[in-house]
Amino acid sequence: RQTLFVSDAEMAAAKKAVTPATRAAVARSLKNIHAFAKHGLRKDWSAKNAEGATVGERFTPFDRVGVYVPGGKAPLVSTALMTAGFAKAAGVPEIIAATPCGPDGSVNPALLYALKVAGATEVMKVGGAQAIGALAYGTETIRPVDVIVGPGNVYVAEAKRQVAGE
């Protein structure tokens, strides 16, 4: 588990490695994302129908969301913000991110910083179809999620198609 998930020490090191300009850009972007997301949130409502029965809708966030963030040749900081940021704005309490690590086991510091600031509660260093399978079905160390969001290559897209509905 220590190498599969990003540690607190790795997260702290990533925060230190990110430039003030990047931190400011992430903060501005996240502010815009949250403002946009708040406008799209559905609101609970109830009313009495013609027969006097109470009818309505109640909207509750998922309990646990998986966000897939490509991180190979081009770490997608924007994807980290758009996926985890929207989940956080919707009130999701557990946001687990999956992103591939480099050969040395590290993840791009700006990407880690963006995930943390956007609301990711866990970051696992796994990419590809195997990350989608782990998020959907769970493993000994990964609890399954309610929904998986985020882009990916053809293998990730196919894996997401195959686990849809799990």
Side-chain angles (χ1 to χ4, degrees), residues 45-57:
W45 65 272
S46 65
K48 296 277 187 191
N49 68 11
E51 288 75 35
T54 301
V55 296
E57 293 178 299

Side-chain angles (χ1 to χ4, degrees), residues 1 18 23 32 35 42 50 59-60 63 66 69 71 75 77 87 93 103 106 123 131 133 137 141 147 158 160-161:
R1 179 160 167 88
V18 174
R23 284 196 295 272
N32 288 333
R42 311 247 344 239
F59 300 95
T60 56
D63 292 323
V69 183
V77 172
S106 68
V123 180
Y137 300 114
T141 55
V147 67
E158 177 60 18
K160 286 169 54 180
R161 188 193 67 75

Side-chain angles (χ1 to χ4, degrees), residues 143-164:
R143 288 184 302 110
V145 298
D146 299 315
V147 67
I148 303 167
V149 299
N153 63 23
V154 295
Y155 302 105
V156 169
E158 177 60 18
K160 286 169 54 180
R161 188 193 67 75
Q162 288 190 27
V163 301

Side-chain angles (χ1 to χ4, degrees), residues 80-147:
L81 296 172
M82 294 294 287
T83 55
F86 267 89
K88 184 71 173 177
V92 176
E94 291 183 54
I95 303 165
I96 180 166
T99 192
C101 63
D104 64 352
S106 68
V107 176
N108 178 280
L111 182 57
L112 281 182
Y113 176 77
L115 283 167
K116 182 68 173 176
V117 172
T121 53
E122 293 179 279
V123 180
M124 62 180 205
K125 298 186 263 187
V126 181
Q130 56 273 26
I132 302 303
L135 290 170
Y137 300 114
T139 70
E140 287 182 14
T141 55
I142 301 166
R143 288 184 302 110
V145 298
D146 299 315
V147 67

